[in-house]
Amino acid sequence: MKLRKLKYLPILLGLFSLAMCMNACKPKGIQTAVSGDAAVKAYVPPGKYDEFYNFVSGGFSGQMAVYGLPSGRLFRVIPVFSVDPEKGYGYSEETKPMLNTSHGFVPWDDLHHPALSVTDGVHDGRWAFGNANNTPRIARLDLKTFRTAEIIEIPNSGGNHSSPFVTENTEYVVAGTRFSVPMGDKQDVAISTYKENFRGTVSFISIDKNDGAMKIAFQILLPGINFDLARAGKGKSHGWFFFSCYNSERANTLLEVNASQKDKDFIMAVNWKKAEEYLAQGKGMKKAVKYAHNTYSEQTHSATSKIETEVIVLDPKDCPDMVYFMPCPKSPHGCDTDPTGEYIVGSGKLAAMIPVFSFTKIQEAIAAKNFDGDYEGIPVLKYEAVLHGEVKKPGLGPLHTEFDDKGNAYTSFFVSSEIVKWRVSDLQVLDRVPTYYSIGHLCVPGGPTKKPWGKYVIAYNKITKDRYLPTGPELTQSAQLYSIDGDKMKLLLDFPTIGEPHYAEAIPAELISKNSVKVFKIEENKNPYVTMGEKNAKVERKGNEVHVYMTSIRSHFVPDNIEGVKLGDAVYFHVTNLEQDWDVPHGFAVKGANNAELLIMPGETQTLLWKPDRIGVFPMYCTDFCSALHQEMQGYIRVSPAGSNVPITFSTGKKVEAAAPVAK
């Protein structure tokens, strides 16, 4: 390797060593670093409700978790991109299509960033969105049911990290590529031809304002750089979107060195209103692609998957005044817009300050063509011309910024393990608190919106050494709650989290809880395999398929004795929960099932496919404790040899007639 390629290696190694030192040499007495009234401020008495829902990414778990604030109590893990045996998500026949992709069934992904729907720039409590980083996808979650309602795959993308971020009225959810990839017909190319053949994209996914249905409206073709994070403009900057970009060197190997050569990379500014104009003018190019679009219906309690074959792509070379670059030091990660929409904060992982850009100055620089050349044909605005100012010496390793309702910003610093509070107007540092340890993202309730609720800032940390009881080589992930009511931030609470928490958004509980679904009305169940009552329960043979139309209610199944199944049969248990009472799900499991259980909500129908691998009598039972006679909620299914003459019989509460002897 050439020496010039290593010129920043000492800096990187120095930062890494400092981080390790800070995490190994912990200050004494940190366990008592909270104030005496912290417990009172974070305490939610038994029977009382939390003030906020906190939607937290599960990282490599592929799921999204919901916590209460200020208690830190875990309420729910919502299955999104990964199978979940607890709820049967991805295992039941109804939910399997949700995890379909152009690559086939993908049972896992890496969810980094939740985003909540907004109206006029303020959280409205309708939907949450999540990104799949590995196999690029966007999910929409219905906050009436706390379930995944829709997943759309993103073509022409590798590493869907800069995602999902929403525009001011949830017109679009926007996603940018972390990894540039070859596109079009020329896919089999040498990796060394990265600069010539690799491209990035940002995708604008439209959201129906009534039902939330998603559609890829258009993609913008971009140079082969890495898009990291993003935020929509708001207020005066509505109609624009801002993305952090690194690897303007367009390196394809040893990026820790080769993508850190330049003093500045970019914040990319996209005028999506202008993109819509070009789209209406027919400037978009139709490109043949293949991607899955999966939807779940609460009427049928089942999902469908459709393979789409086309997207529309806009090229900045054909669409002037649509995309601009702004220089940003150094290796930008975070990109955040303040509540007014005037200021855009860039956070360079290797920068010793925080640059803040002015939307007004951006517009003035564009009008005056105050450019510093171009990058791959895209104009680069002069740094000084668009800069509001720099926060000087705030800390080491700035990553992300959130805002309160008083004109202040809060930035996480990974290397120096702290949150720093600073004033947006004059860029003065006001306060700093340590985190434990190596904070990544942070969250202020309503922090990315036009009207933050403030009150708390939550740190999502990467390292938890000495904070919790040890659990072997892997420790729990960590979040920490700080009060921001006063001039000084105060640590109130530590609480563990699932997976690896990245970003989170918090919203007042009242915006969601009042609309929460309690039961699914049985009379509205449109599942094709629904059993509307016990008298309709039955078992049918269709060739080598056996379909069991079963009901569950406290505390029995109908039927609970089944005979006539043969080795080689595929048995479909279509279980309808007849309960119409809140929080009375029923489970269903059968011995030898090699997939999972079912967890069926009141009024819902779910299907488990079971393929017995041996003859015998197999127990089946309810897995969710439902009543004092829960243990009695069980039954049996008999499996006979292939070719036997045992007829299909089924019953509950009645003696089953003896089956005919097996022919030999």
Side-chain angles (χ1 to χ4, degrees):
M1 184 180 294
K2 296 180 180 179
L3 290 177
R4 64 182 179 86
K5 295 283 189 180
L6 296 173
K7 68 177 181 177
Y8 287 104
L9 187 57
I11 298 174
L12 294 170
L13 292 175
L15 289 172
F16 179 78
S17 299
L18 178 59
M20 293 301 102
C21 179
M22 295 184 70
N23 290 315
C25 307
K26 313 288 193 311
K28 295 181 179 180
I30 56 174
Q31 285 79 9
T32 60
V34 297
S35 61
D37 64 345
V40 174
K41 292 183 177 180
Y43 180 64
V44 178
K48 299 296 183 181
Y49 292 158
D50 280 277
E51 185 178 358
F52 295 95
Y53 287 106
N54 190 27
F55 293 86
V56 184
S57 67
F60 44 68
S61 78
Q63 317 296 38
M64 193 180 298
V66 185
Y67 299 85
L69 296 177
S71 72
R73 298 178 296 196
L74 175 62
F75 294 150
R76 188 163 184 82
V77 177
I78 305 174
V80 184
F81 295 116
S82 297
V83 294
D84 182 15
E86 177 190 342
K87 302 175 181 65
Y89 180 83
Y91 293 105
S92 72
E93 296 304 295
E94 284 83 359
T95 59
K96 282 180 181 178
M98 293 299 289
L99 300 180
N100 188 42
T101 74
S102 62
H103 304 274
F105 182 82
V106 178
W108 166 88
D109 220 295
D110 185 16
L111 196 161
H112 279 219
H113 308 122
L116 301 181
S117 59
V118 291
T119 299
D120 192 23
V122 180
H123 287 152
D124 57 25
R126 302 179 71 190
W127 308 301
F129 302 90
N131 68 314
N133 191 30
N134 187 62
T135 303
R137 288 169 284 175
I138 296 291
R140 177 176 61 87
L141 285 64
D142 188 339
L143 297 185
K144 290 182 179 179
T145 60
F146 281 66
R147 299 208 285 197
T148 302
E150 189 175 9
I151 295 177
I152 192 166
E153 189 178 2
I154 303 175
N156 296 327
S157 176
N160 177 38
H161 189 261
S162 184
S163 164
F165 301 99
V166 300
T167 54
E168 191 171 300
N169 287 291
T170 320
E171 298 96 337
Y172 297 102
V173 170
V174 182
T177 56
R178 174 181 171 185
F179 310 116
S180 294
V181 292
M183 296 180 192
D185 298 330
K186 197 174 182 182
Q187 300 283 321
D188 182 17
V189 298
I191 299 172
S192 60
T193 66
Y194 184 103
K195 291 184 178 180
E196 295 77 24
N197 292 316
F198 288 52
R199 295 291 182 270
T201 61
V202 294
S203 302
F204 282 73
I205 300 163
S206 62
I207 307 299
D208 186 277
K209 64 181 181 180
N210 295 315
D211 62 9
M214 299 191 295
K215 180 183 179 182
I216 298 179
F218 61 92
Q219 296 182 315
I220 299 176
L221 185 66
L222 294 160
I225 54 180
N226 298 52
F227 299 99
D228 207 348
L229 289 163
R231 281 294 184 202
K234 54 178 81 81
K236 64 175 61 181
S237 57
H238 177 62
W240 288 75
F241 225 102
F242 304 94
F243 300 80
S244 62
C245 320
Y246 67 99
N247 192 25
S248 57
E249 297 86 350
R250 289 182 291 170
N252 62 274
T253 184
L254 200 62
L255 263 66
E256 65 174 328
V257 174
N258 295 325
S260 304
Q261 299 295 301
K262 296 182 177 181
D263 290 331
K264 293 183 177 69
D265 288 283
F266 300 118
I267 297 293
M268 181 176 71
V270 175
N271 185 338
W272 59 263
K273 287 288 189 181
K274 180 70 68 173
E276 289 182 330
E277 293 176 11
Y278 285 125
L279 204 64
Q281 295 169 13
K283 295 282 187 173
M285 302 170 288
K286 293 182 178 180
K287 299 290 185 181
V289 291
K290 185 179 179 182
Y291 63 99
H293 187 182
N294 313 325
T295 56
Y296 188 86
S297 166
E298 294 295 0
Q299 284 71 50
T300 64
H301 305 298
S302 57
T304 56
S305 180
K306 180 183 179 182
I307 296 297
E308 306 282 0
T309 57
E310 186 179 84
V311 292
I312 298 176
V313 178
L314 294 171
D315 191 333
K317 294 178 181 178
D318 305 321
C319 304
D321 304 321
M322 184 176 68
V323 182
Y324 298 90
F325 285 126
M326 302 183 295
C328 182
K330 175 178 185 357
S331 297
H333 183 59
C335 180
D336 300 280
T337 57
D338 86 314
T340 69
E342 169 63 20
Y343 300 111
I344 301 98
V345 180
S347 296
K349 300 187 295 291
L350 304 179
M353 51 74 180
I354 302 172
V356 182
F357 303 95
S358 162
F359 181 74
T360 300
K361 290 186 176 181
I362 293 169
Q363 299 307 297
E364 292 171 350
I366 292 172
K369 298 187 182 300
N370 199 350
F371 302 147
D372 192 9
D374 68 86
Y375 183 87
E376 293 292 302
I378 296 173
V380 179
L381 300 169
K382 287 186 177 180
Y383 180 70
E384 294 78 11
V386 297
L387 190 68
H388 167 60
E390 297 172 345
V391 183
K392 301 294 187 181
K393 298 180 179 179
L396 297 176
L399 293 184
H400 305 282
T401 300
E402 295 265 294
F403 305 90
D404 65 17
D405 56 341
K406 301 179 180 65
N408 302 313
Y410 301 79
T411 300
S412 59
F413 288 82
F414 177 82
V415 177
S416 53
S417 288
E418 59 184 334
I419 298 173
V420 175
K421 174 183 178 181
W422 52 276
R423 193 163 44 235
V424 177
S425 59
D426 62 5
L427 310 177
Q428 295 301 302
V429 172
L430 304 175
D431 189 29
R432 61 180 71 238
V433 291
T435 61
Y436 310 106
Y437 307 91
S438 298
I439 180 176
H441 282 273
L442 75 173
C443 166
V444 173
T449 73
K450 290 171 69 173
K451 295 181 179 179
W453 288 283
K455 197 165 185 177
Y456 306 109
V457 61
I458 307 97
Y460 302 96
N461 302 317
K462 303 302 183 184
I463 296 173
T464 58
K465 291 175 182 172
D466 79 17
R467 301 302 292 180
Y468 302 104
L469 287 172
T471 52
E474 183 186 17
L475 303 178
T476 183
Q477 308 293 321
S478 169
Q480 292 182 301
L481 180 77
Y482 298 80
S483 169
I484 58 172
D485 276 342
D487 293 335
K488 299 294 183 180
M489 295 176 281
K490 296 180 180 180
L491 177 61
L492 303 180
L493 181 71
D494 282 14
F495 61 96
T497 64
I498 68 157
E500 183 189 1
H502 290 264
Y503 185 53
E505 289 197 22
I507 181 173
E510 62 184 12
L511 293 179
I512 295 177
S513 61
K514 62 184 179 182
N515 298 319
S516 188
V517 171
K518 292 181 171 61
V519 300
F520 297 108
K521 295 180 180 179
I522 188 70
E523 65 269 19
E524 296 178 358
N525 187 329
K526 304 301 182 184
N527 188 296
Y529 300 102
V530 64
T531 304
M532 284 296 188
E534 293 185 353
K535 62 181 176 50
N536 302 115
K538 59 185 178 180
V539 181
E540 294 181 341
R541 174 175 290 283
K542 297 179 181 179
N544 68 344
E545 294 182 357
V546 175
H547 292 262
V548 181
Y549 295 80
M550 177 182 284
T551 64
S552 62
I553 196 167
R554 290 166 285 184
S555 296
H556 61 272
F557 296 111
V558 177
D560 65 4
N561 280 223
I562 302 169
E563 300 191 35
V565 174
K566 303 173 185 179
L567 200 62
D569 284 343
V571 183
Y572 291 87
F573 293 96
H574 310 291
V575 187
T576 299
N577 182 348
L578 297 179
E579 306 281 359
Q580 292 290 269
D581 192 7
W582 188 21
D583 195 30
V584 189
H586 286 295
F588 177 82
V590 59
K591 182 182 177 181
N594 57 8
N595 38 25
E597 66 158 359
L598 296 177
L599 191 62
I600 312 112
M601 298 300 114
E604 184 179 45
T605 300
Q606 290 288 294
T607 300
L608 182 72
L609 171 59
W610 179 58
K611 296 181 179 180
D613 65 348
R614 64 197 70 182
I615 61 173
V617 176
F618 298 84
M620 54 191 184
Y621 69 103
C622 175
T623 55
D624 191 309
F625 201 101
C626 55
S627 73
L629 296 177
H630 165 74
Q631 292 294 95
E632 283 74 14
M633 194 170 175
Q634 65 177 59
Y636 294 98
I637 182 167
R638 175 186 172 189
V639 179
S640 300
S644 69
N645 59 0
V646 180
I648 290 288
T649 58
F650 59 95
S651 66
T652 297
K654 297 180 181 179
K655 184 179 179 180
V656 180
E657 295 295 324
V662 176
K664 296 186 178 179

